[in-house]
Protein backbone atom coordinates (compact mmCIF):
# COMPACT_ATOMS: atom_id res chain seq x y z
CA UNK A 1 0.00 0.00 0.00
CA UNK A 2 1.17 3.50 -0.78
CA UNK A 3 1.22 5.97 2.09
CA UNK A 4 -0.62 9.26 1.69
CA UNK A 5 2.69 11.13 2.10
CA UNK A 6 5.29 8.74 0.65
CA UNK A 7 8.09 11.29 0.82
CA UNK A 8 7.85 12.71 4.34
CA UNK A 9 10.63 15.28 4.22
CA UNK A 10 10.94 18.58 6.00
CA UNK A 11 12.60 21.73 4.62
CA UNK A 12 15.91 22.91 6.03
CA UNK A 13 17.61 26.32 5.82
CA UNK A 14 19.09 25.07 2.53
CA UNK A 15 15.63 24.83 0.99
CA UNK A 16 15.89 28.33 -0.50
CA UNK A 17 18.70 27.01 -2.68
CA UNK A 18 16.55 24.32 -4.16
CA UNK A 19 14.61 26.57 -6.48
CA UNK A 20 17.87 27.73 -8.00
CA UNK A 21 17.25 31.29 -6.83
CA UNK A 22 20.13 31.48 -4.38
CA UNK A 23 23.78 30.45 -4.53
CA UNK A 24 25.44 27.54 -2.79
CA UNK A 25 28.99 28.30 -1.58
CA UNK A 26 29.89 24.63 -2.02
CA UNK A 27 28.85 24.49 -5.66
CA UNK A 28 30.52 25.34 -8.93
CA UNK A 29 30.59 29.08 -9.47
CA UNK A 30 28.60 30.28 -12.45
CA UNK A 31 27.44 33.48 -14.05
CA UNK A 32 24.06 35.04 -14.57
CA UNK A 33 22.24 34.28 -17.81
CA UNK A 34 22.05 37.27 -20.17
CA UNK A 35 18.63 38.47 -21.30
CA UNK A 36 15.28 38.38 -19.59
CA UNK A 37 13.76 35.17 -18.32
CA UNK A 38 10.00 34.59 -18.35
CA UNK A 39 8.48 35.02 -14.92
CA UNK A 40 8.14 31.72 -12.99
CA UNK A 41 4.46 32.55 -12.50
CA UNK A 42 3.78 32.99 -16.22
CA UNK A 43 0.78 30.70 -16.90
CA UNK A 44 1.75 30.42 -20.58
CA UNK A 45 5.20 28.89 -19.97
CA UNK A 46 4.23 25.37 -21.04
CA UNK A 47 2.65 26.55 -24.28
CA UNK A 48 5.60 28.85 -24.98
CA UNK A 49 8.00 25.93 -24.53
CA UNK A 50 5.94 23.75 -26.86
CA UNK A 51 5.71 26.49 -29.47
CA UNK A 52 9.45 27.27 -29.42
CA UNK A 53 10.38 23.60 -29.61
CA UNK A 54 7.99 23.13 -32.55
CA UNK A 55 9.58 26.10 -34.34
CA UNK A 56 13.01 24.54 -33.95
CA UNK A 57 11.88 21.08 -35.05
CA UNK A 58 14.72 18.61 -35.70
CA UNK A 59 17.30 21.36 -35.19
CA UNK A 60 17.03 20.92 -31.42
CA UNK A 61 17.51 17.84 -29.23
CA UNK A 62 16.72 18.23 -25.52
CA UNK A 63 18.46 16.04 -22.95
CA UNK A 64 17.03 15.70 -19.44
CA UNK A 65 19.01 14.24 -16.56
CA UNK A 66 17.09 12.05 -14.11
CA UNK A 67 17.53 14.65 -11.35
CA UNK A 68 15.74 17.40 -13.26
CA UNK A 69 12.38 18.84 -12.24
CA UNK A 70 9.29 17.23 -13.79
CA UNK A 71 8.44 20.49 -15.56
CA UNK A 72 11.74 20.20 -17.47
CA UNK A 73 11.65 16.43 -18.01
CA UNK A 74 8.31 16.93 -19.80
CA UNK A 75 10.15 18.55 -22.72
CA UNK A 76 13.16 16.21 -22.83
CA UNK A 77 13.54 14.05 -25.94
CA UNK A 78 15.50 11.54 -23.88
CA UNK A 79 16.24 11.11 -20.18
CA UNK A 80 19.12 9.33 -18.54
CA UNK A 81 22.34 9.69 -16.57
CA UNK A 82 25.12 11.99 -17.68
CA UNK A 83 27.08 9.60 -19.93
CA UNK A 84 24.01 8.05 -21.55
CA UNK A 85 22.78 11.52 -22.45
CA UNK A 86 26.12 12.57 -23.91
CA UNK A 87 26.14 9.45 -26.10
CA UNK A 88 22.52 10.09 -27.12
CA UNK A 89 23.52 13.56 -28.25
CA UNK A 90 26.39 12.19 -30.35
CA UNK A 91 23.94 9.77 -31.97
CA UNK A 92 21.80 12.66 -33.27
CA UNK A 93 24.14 14.40 -35.76
CA UNK A 94 21.19 16.10 -37.49
CA UNK A 95 20.47 18.16 -34.37
CA UNK A 96 22.20 21.52 -34.61
CA UNK A 97 21.42 22.47 -31.02
CA UNK A 98 21.86 20.11 -28.06
CA UNK A 99 20.06 21.61 -25.06
CA UNK A 100 21.45 19.82 -22.01
CA UNK A 101 19.18 20.06 -18.98
CA UNK A 102 21.73 18.99 -16.42
CA UNK A 103 24.90 20.59 -15.08
CA UNK A 104 28.08 22.05 -16.52
CA UNK A 105 30.33 18.97 -16.63
CA UNK A 106 27.58 17.03 -18.43
CA UNK A 107 27.32 19.67 -21.13
CA UNK A 108 31.12 19.61 -21.49
CA UNK A 109 31.05 15.85 -22.04
CA UNK A 110 28.34 16.26 -24.66
CA UNK A 111 30.45 18.88 -26.45
CA UNK A 112 33.46 16.53 -26.41
CA UNK A 113 31.48 13.64 -27.90
CA UNK A 114 29.40 15.53 -30.48
CA UNK A 115 30.49 16.84 -33.88
CA UNK A 116 31.93 20.28 -34.53
CA UNK A 117 28.74 21.47 -36.23
CA UNK A 118 26.66 20.71 -33.14
CA UNK A 119 26.35 23.35 -30.46
CA UNK A 120 25.72 22.36 -26.84
CA UNK A 121 23.58 24.71 -24.77
CA UNK A 122 23.19 24.84 -20.96
CA UNK A 123 20.00 26.75 -20.04
CA UNK A 124 21.61 28.23 -16.90
CA UNK A 125 25.38 28.67 -16.79
CA UNK A 126 25.24 28.61 -12.98
CA UNK A 127 24.08 24.98 -13.03
CA UNK A 128 27.31 23.48 -11.80
CA UNK A 129 28.28 20.49 -9.69
CA UNK A 130 29.72 20.77 -6.19
CA UNK A 131 31.60 17.50 -6.63
CA UNK A 132 33.17 18.51 -9.94
CA UNK A 133 34.22 21.81 -8.39
CA UNK A 134 36.16 20.01 -5.64
CA UNK A 135 39.00 19.13 -8.03
CA UNK A 136 40.62 21.86 -10.09
CA UNK A 137 43.23 21.30 -12.79
CA UNK A 138 45.87 23.10 -10.71
CA UNK A 139 45.16 21.01 -7.62
CA UNK A 140 45.32 17.74 -9.52
CA UNK A 141 48.58 18.74 -11.24
CA UNK A 142 50.05 19.51 -7.83
CA UNK A 143 48.84 16.13 -6.56
CA UNK A 144 50.63 14.39 -9.42
CA UNK A 145 53.82 16.24 -8.49
CA UNK A 146 53.43 14.97 -4.91
CA UNK A 147 53.06 11.42 -6.22
CA UNK A 148 56.14 11.88 -8.39
CA UNK A 149 58.20 13.13 -5.44
CA UNK A 150 57.06 10.09 -3.45
CA UNK A 151 58.22 7.87 -6.32
CA UNK A 152 54.79 6.39 -7.05
CA UNK A 153 53.51 8.40 -10.03
CA UNK A 154 54.96 5.90 -12.51
CA UNK A 155 52.94 3.05 -10.98
CA UNK A 156 49.72 5.06 -10.49
CA UNK A 157 46.86 5.08 -13.00
CA UNK A 158 44.29 7.89 -12.77
CA UNK A 159 40.61 6.92 -12.89
CA UNK A 160 38.21 9.84 -12.99
CA UNK A 161 34.50 9.71 -12.39
CA UNK A 162 32.26 10.98 -15.17
CA UNK A 163 31.17 13.67 -12.69
CA UNK A 164 34.29 15.75 -13.28
CA UNK A 165 35.25 18.76 -15.35
CA UNK A 166 36.68 18.56 -18.85
CA UNK A 167 40.05 19.64 -17.40
CA UNK A 168 40.13 16.64 -15.08
CA UNK A 169 39.08 14.28 -17.86
CA UNK A 170 41.89 15.77 -19.96
CA UNK A 171 44.42 15.21 -17.16
CA UNK A 172 43.25 11.61 -16.99
CA UNK A 173 43.75 11.12 -20.72
CA UNK A 174 47.21 12.72 -20.65
CA UNK A 175 48.33 10.25 -17.98
CA UNK A 176 46.98 7.10 -19.57
CA UNK A 177 43.90 6.71 -17.39
CA UNK A 178 40.23 6.18 -17.97
CA UNK A 179 36.85 7.64 -17.07
CA UNK A 180 34.21 5.62 -15.25
CA UNK A 181 30.55 5.85 -14.36
CA UNK A 182 28.91 4.57 -11.19
CA UNK A 183 27.85 1.45 -13.11
CA UNK A 184 31.25 0.49 -14.58
CA UNK A 185 33.59 1.71 -11.82
CA UNK A 186 34.66 -1.84 -10.95
CA UNK A 187 35.60 -2.61 -14.55
CA UNK A 188 37.55 0.65 -14.72
CA UNK A 189 39.47 -0.16 -11.52
CA UNK A 190 40.21 -3.71 -12.64
CA UNK A 191 41.60 -2.32 -15.90
CA UNK A 192 43.67 0.27 -14.03
CA UNK A 193 45.16 -2.31 -11.63
CA UNK A 194 46.13 -4.44 -14.61
CA UNK A 195 48.32 -1.52 -15.73
CA UNK A 196 49.62 -0.18 -12.44
CA UNK A 197 50.00 -0.80 -8.74
CA UNK A 198 47.89 2.13 -7.54
CA UNK A 199 44.90 4.20 -8.60
CA UNK A 200 44.36 7.91 -8.14
CA UNK A 201 40.56 8.13 -8.04
CA UNK A 202 39.00 11.53 -8.83
CA UNK A 203 36.98 13.34 -7.57
CA UNK A 204 34.50 11.28 -5.48
CA UNK A 205 36.15 9.48 -2.59
CA UNK A 206 33.00 7.51 -1.72
CA UNK A 207 32.50 5.87 -5.12
CA UNK A 208 36.19 4.94 -5.21
CA UNK A 209 36.20 3.51 -1.69
CA UNK A 210 32.91 1.67 -2.05
CA UNK A 211 33.94 0.08 -5.33
CA UNK A 212 37.36 -1.01 -4.06
CA UNK A 213 36.23 -2.29 -0.66
CA UNK A 214 32.68 -3.51 -1.25
CA UNK A 215 33.06 -4.86 -4.78
CA UNK A 216 36.72 -5.81 -5.11
CA UNK A 217 37.78 -7.02 -1.69
CA UNK A 218 40.23 -4.29 -0.75
CA UNK A 219 40.42 -3.19 2.87
CA UNK A 220 39.79 0.28 4.21
CA UNK A 221 43.48 0.36 5.13
CA UNK A 222 44.33 0.09 1.41
CA UNK A 223 42.69 3.50 0.91
CA UNK A 224 44.02 6.95 1.75
CA UNK A 225 42.37 10.31 1.16
CA UNK A 226 44.30 13.08 -0.58
CA UNK A 227 43.21 16.50 0.71
CA UNK A 228 44.15 19.21 -1.81
CA UNK A 229 43.91 21.87 0.90
CA UNK A 230 46.74 20.37 2.96
CA UNK A 231 50.48 20.21 2.20
CA UNK A 232 51.25 16.98 0.33
CA UNK A 233 47.56 16.16 0.52
CA UNK A 234 47.89 15.58 4.25
CA UNK A 235 49.73 12.31 3.57
CA UNK A 236 53.22 11.05 4.27
CA UNK A 237 55.44 9.43 1.68
CA UNK A 238 55.03 6.14 3.54
CA UNK A 239 51.23 6.37 3.35
CA UNK A 240 51.34 7.06 -0.38
CA UNK A 241 53.70 4.16 -1.00
CA UNK A 242 51.58 1.75 1.05
CA UNK A 243 48.21 2.74 -0.40
CA UNK A 244 46.44 0.98 -3.25
CA UNK A 245 43.66 3.54 -3.65
CA UNK A 246 44.52 7.24 -3.43
CA UNK A 247 41.11 8.87 -3.09
CA UNK A 248 40.56 12.53 -3.84
CA UNK A 249 38.78 14.38 -1.02
CA UNK A 250 35.57 15.08 -2.93
CA UNK A 251 31.98 14.04 -2.53
CA UNK A 252 28.44 14.57 -3.78
CA UNK A 253 26.71 17.12 -1.56
CA UNK A 254 23.40 15.27 -2.08
CA UNK A 255 24.42 11.65 -1.54
CA UNK A 256 26.93 12.63 1.13
CA UNK A 257 24.09 13.85 3.36
CA UNK A 258 22.67 10.37 3.98
CA UNK A 259 23.80 8.80 7.25
CA UNK A 260 23.77 5.49 9.08
CA UNK A 261 21.15 7.07 11.35
CA UNK A 262 18.94 7.60 8.29
CA UNK A 263 19.11 3.89 7.50
CA UNK A 264 18.40 2.83 11.08
CA UNK A 265 15.50 5.27 11.36
CA UNK A 266 13.73 4.12 8.20
CA UNK A 267 14.11 0.47 9.21
CA UNK A 268 12.47 1.26 12.56
CA UNK A 269 9.60 3.12 10.88
CA UNK A 270 8.92 0.68 8.03
CA UNK A 271 9.38 -3.02 8.87
CA UNK A 272 10.65 -5.01 5.93
CA UNK A 273 11.75 -1.95 3.96
CA UNK A 274 14.38 -2.42 1.25
CA UNK A 275 17.12 0.20 1.50
CA UNK A 276 18.56 1.04 -1.93
CA UNK A 277 21.31 3.67 -2.17
CA UNK A 278 23.65 5.21 -4.72
CA UNK A 279 27.38 4.28 -4.46
CA UNK A 280 28.21 7.98 -3.98
CA UNK A 281 26.91 7.56 -0.41
CA UNK A 282 29.30 7.19 2.52
CA UNK A 283 30.81 3.75 3.09
CA UNK A 284 28.88 3.12 6.31
CA UNK A 285 25.60 3.89 4.52
CA UNK A 286 26.43 1.57 1.63
CA UNK A 287 27.47 -1.17 4.07
CA UNK A 288 24.15 -0.88 5.92
CA UNK A 289 21.98 -0.83 2.77
CA UNK A 290 20.32 -3.85 1.19
CA UNK A 291 21.13 -2.81 -2.36
CA UNK A 292 23.55 -0.39 -3.99
CA UNK A 293 23.39 0.83 -7.57
CA UNK A 294 23.72 3.60 -10.10
CA UNK A 295 20.81 5.85 -11.01
CA UNK A 296 19.86 3.62 -13.94
CA UNK A 297 20.11 0.55 -11.70
CA UNK A 298 17.86 2.16 -9.07
CA UNK A 299 15.22 2.87 -11.71
CA UNK A 300 15.45 -0.68 -13.07
CA UNK A 301 15.11 -2.23 -9.60
CA UNK A 302 11.99 -0.20 -8.83
CA UNK A 303 10.47 -1.07 -12.21
CA UNK A 304 10.97 -4.76 -11.47
CA UNK A 305 10.05 -4.70 -7.76
CA UNK A 306 6.91 -6.60 -6.74
CA UNK A 307 3.71 -4.74 -5.94
CA UNK A 308 3.31 -4.01 -2.25
CA UNK A 309 7.03 -3.90 -1.55
CA UNK A 310 8.52 -1.03 0.46
CA UNK A 311 11.62 0.89 -0.57
CA UNK A 312 13.74 3.65 0.97
CA UNK A 313 15.89 5.34 -1.66
CA UNK A 314 19.13 7.13 -0.94
CA UNK A 315 19.41 9.37 -3.98
CA UNK A 316 18.24 12.75 -5.32
CA UNK A 317 14.72 13.76 -4.30
CA UNK A 318 13.37 14.71 -7.74
CA UNK A 319 14.09 11.18 -8.94
CA UNK A 320 12.62 9.61 -5.80
CA UNK A 321 9.41 11.60 -6.19
CA UNK A 322 9.13 10.65 -9.85
CA UNK A 323 9.59 6.96 -9.02
CA UNK A 324 7.01 7.16 -6.23
CA UNK A 325 4.49 8.75 -8.57
CA UNK A 326 5.12 6.21 -11.34
CA UNK A 327 4.84 3.20 -8.98
CA UNK A 328 1.71 3.77 -6.88
CA UNK A 329 1.53 0.04 -6.13
CA UNK A 330 4.74 0.26 -4.06
CA UNK A 331 5.68 2.20 -0.94
CA UNK A 332 8.61 4.40 -1.95
CA UNK A 333 10.08 6.78 0.62
CA UNK A 334 13.04 9.10 0.74
CA UNK A 335 15.85 7.78 2.93
CA UNK A 336 16.35 11.06 4.78
CA UNK A 337 13.80 13.27 6.55
CA UNK A 338 15.25 16.51 5.24
CA UNK A 339 15.08 18.00 1.75
CA UNK A 340 17.89 16.75 -0.44
CA UNK A 341 17.48 18.10 -3.96
CA UNK A 342 20.55 18.78 -6.05
CA UNK A 343 20.47 22.57 -5.68
CA UNK A 344 22.59 23.29 -8.77
CA UNK A 345 20.73 20.76 -10.94
CA UNK A 346 17.52 22.48 -9.88
CA UNK A 347 18.69 25.73 -11.40
CA UNK A 348 17.42 24.44 -14.74
CA UNK A 349 13.76 25.37 -14.48
CA UNK A 350 10.99 26.04 -16.99
CA UNK A 351 11.69 29.80 -17.29
CA UNK A 352 15.33 29.09 -18.21
CA UNK A 353 14.29 26.39 -20.68
CA UNK A 354 11.68 28.62 -22.33
CA UNK A 355 14.16 31.49 -22.58
CA UNK A 356 16.73 29.17 -24.16
CA UNK A 357 14.34 27.65 -26.72
CA UNK A 358 12.80 30.99 -27.70
CA UNK A 359 16.27 32.52 -28.12
CA UNK A 360 17.42 29.67 -30.36
CA UNK A 361 14.16 29.81 -32.36
CA UNK A 362 14.82 33.52 -32.92
CA UNK A 363 18.30 32.75 -34.23
CA UNK A 364 20.15 33.88 -31.10
CA UNK A 365 22.76 31.46 -29.73
CA UNK A 366 22.91 31.57 -25.93
CA UNK A 367 24.88 29.83 -23.19
CA UNK A 368 26.99 27.67 -25.49
CA UNK A 369 29.36 25.24 -23.76
CA UNK A 370 32.53 24.77 -25.76
CA UNK A 371 35.64 22.83 -24.71
CA UNK A 372 38.93 23.98 -26.25
CA UNK A 373 40.58 21.67 -28.78
CA UNK A 374 43.55 20.51 -26.68
CA UNK A 375 41.46 19.77 -23.60
CA UNK A 376 38.92 17.98 -25.77
CA UNK A 377 41.59 15.82 -27.41
CA UNK A 378 42.93 14.32 -24.18
CA UNK A 379 39.52 14.15 -22.49
CA UNK A 380 38.23 12.21 -25.47
CA UNK A 381 41.14 9.76 -25.13
CA UNK A 382 40.04 9.02 -21.58
CA UNK A 383 36.38 8.69 -22.57
CA UNK A 384 37.25 6.41 -25.47
CA UNK A 385 39.30 4.25 -23.10
CA UNK A 386 36.19 3.85 -20.97
CA UNK A 387 34.22 2.77 -24.02
CA UNK A 388 36.90 0.20 -24.76
CA UNK A 389 36.82 -1.34 -21.28
CA UNK A 390 36.29 -5.13 -21.37
Amino acid sequence: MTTTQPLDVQPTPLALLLLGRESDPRSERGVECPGDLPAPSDPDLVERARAAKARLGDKVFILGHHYQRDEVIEFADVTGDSFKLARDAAARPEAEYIVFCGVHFMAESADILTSERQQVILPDLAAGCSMADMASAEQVAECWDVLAEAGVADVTVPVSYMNSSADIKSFTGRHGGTICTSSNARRALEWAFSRGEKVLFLPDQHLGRNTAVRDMGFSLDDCVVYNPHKPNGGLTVEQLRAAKMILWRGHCSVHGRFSLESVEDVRARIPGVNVLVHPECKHEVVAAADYVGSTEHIIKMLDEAPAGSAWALGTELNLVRRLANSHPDKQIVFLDKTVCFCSTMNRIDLPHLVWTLESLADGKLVNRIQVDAETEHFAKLALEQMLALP
Side-chain angles (χ1 to χ4, degrees), residues 65-82:
H65 191 272
H66 287 305
Y67 297 169
Q68 289 292 303
R69 308 160 181 252
D70 286 344
E71 68 193 52
V72 172
I73 290 293
E74 178 182 349
F75 293 97
D77 293 302
V78 293
T79 59
D81 60 17
S82 58

Side-chain angles (χ1 to χ4, degrees), residues 155-167:
V155 294
T156 301
V157 178
V159 175
S160 293
Y161 191 20
M162 189 72 183
N163 299 26
S164 59
S165 69
D167 286 339

Side-chain angles (χ1 to χ4, degrees), residues 94-109:
E94 73 278 7
E96 180 179 349
Y97 303 119
I98 304 297
V99 176
F100 208 126
C101 297
V103 293
H104 196 270
F105 79 80
M106 299 179 187
E108 285 183 330
S109 297

Side-chain angles (χ1 to χ4, degrees), residues 28-29 63 82-83 85-87 89-90 98-116 118-125 127-129 131-133 135-137 160-171 179 203 367-381 383:
E28 222 175 33
R29 292 180 294 276
L63 309 174
S82 58
F83 186 61
L85 293 176
R87 286 195 300 179
I98 304 297
V99 176
F100 208 126
C101 297
V103 293
H104 196 270
F105 79 80
M106 299 179 187
E108 285 183 330
S109 297
D111 184 60
I112 290 167
L113 293 174
T114 52
S115 67
E116 290 186 9
Q118 293 177 290
Q119 299 175 93
V120 178
I121 314 297
L122 186 65
D124 185 349
L125 293 179
C129 171
M131 181 198 297
D133 206 39
S136 70
S160 293
Y161 191 20
M162 189 72 183
N163 299 26
S164 59
S165 69
D167 286 339
I168 301 308
K169 291 183 177 71
S170 182
F171 165 88
I179 308 302
N367 288 8
R368 184 180 181 185
I369 301 299
Q370 192 168 18
V371 178
D372 68 87
E374 183 177 0
T375 301
E376 177 178 311
H377 170 74
F378 288 103
K380 197 167 186 178
L381 287 180
L383 286 166

Side-chain angles (χ1 to χ4, degrees), residues 34-254:
D36 296 323
L37 294 178
S41 59
D42 186 339
D44 299 323
L45 279 175
V46 171
E47 287 306 318
R48 289 173 64 178
R50 287 174 180 163
K53 189 177 181 184
R55 286 170 60 194
L56 287 162
D58 292 338
K59 292 177 65 176
V60 70
F61 191 53
I62 302 177
L63 309 174
H65 191 272
H66 287 305
Y67 297 169
Q68 289 292 303
R69 308 160 181 252
D70 286 344
E71 68 193 52
V72 172
I73 290 293
E74 178 182 349
F75 293 97
D77 293 302
V78 293
T79 59
D81 60 17
S82 58
F83 186 61
K84 175 183 180 296
L85 293 176
R87 286 195 300 179
D88 285 343
R92 292 293 293 265
E94 73 278 7
E96 180 179 349
Y97 303 119
I98 304 297
V99 176
F100 208 126
C101 297
V103 293
H104 196 270
F105 79 80
M106 299 179 187
E108 285 183 330
S109 297
D111 184 60
I112 290 167
L113 293 174
T114 52
S115 67
E116 290 186 9
R117 66 170 293 275
Q118 293 177 290
Q119 299 175 93
V120 178
I121 314 297
L122 186 65
D124 185 349
L125 293 179
C129 171
S130 56
M131 181 198 297
D133 206 39
M134 290 177 187
S136 70
E138 294 77 13
Q139 290 172 329
V140 175
E142 182 178 343
C143 171
W144 199 253
D145 289 342
V146 170
L147 299 186
E149 290 174 8
V152 299
D154 289 345
V155 294
T156 301
V157 178
V159 175
S160 293
Y161 191 20
M162 189 72 183
N163 299 26
S164 59
S165 69
D167 286 339
I168 301 308
K169 291 183 177 71
S170 182
F171 165 88
T172 305
R174 285 176 184 272
H175 292 87
T178 188
I179 308 302
C180 75
T181 68
S182 54
S183 58
N184 71 359
R186 177 173 181 169
R187 277 184 289 155
L189 288 184
E190 289 172 342
W191 173 86
F193 280 113
S194 73
R195 300 174 64 85
E197 299 174 9
K198 305 174 187 293
V199 165
L200 171 62
F201 195 90
L202 301 155
D204 179 23
Q205 61 171 304
H206 300 307
L207 176 62
R209 181 183 296 107
N210 289 330
T211 304
V213 175
R214 180 180 181 274
D215 299 336
M216 299 177 64
F218 286 85
S219 74
L220 290 174
D221 291 337
D222 291 323
C223 307
V224 295
V225 177
Y226 182 95
N227 186 342
H229 303 293
K230 291 184 177 181
N232 298 318
L235 299 169
T236 65
V237 170
E238 290 74 20
Q239 286 175 308
L240 288 170
R241 289 176 177 172
K244 295 292 186 183
M245 291 287 294
I246 303 168
L247 307 169
W248 192 263
R249 190 175 182 270
H251 65 275
C252 170
S253 56
V254 170

Side-chain angles (χ1 to χ4, degrees), residues 295-349:
T295 301
E296 296 285 349
H297 182 73
I298 290 172
I299 294 170
K300 184 174 184 290
M301 285 201 73
L302 267 296
D303 287 343
E304 297 175 353
S309 56
W311 296 82
L313 305 184
T315 191
E316 205 273 342
L317 186 51
N318 271 323
L319 174 60
V320 179
R321 283 182 167 171
R322 192 171 301 121
L323 288 170
N325 290 334
S326 62
H327 296 284
D329 60 330
K330 300 156 195 172
Q331 183 179 358
I332 298 174
V333 303
F334 190 56
L335 181 56
D336 202 1
K337 284 188 172 182
T338 57
V339 169
C340 204
F341 290 103
C342 176
S343 60
T344 47
M345 190 82 75
N346 266 260
R347 298 193 73 94
I348 309 295
D349 56 12

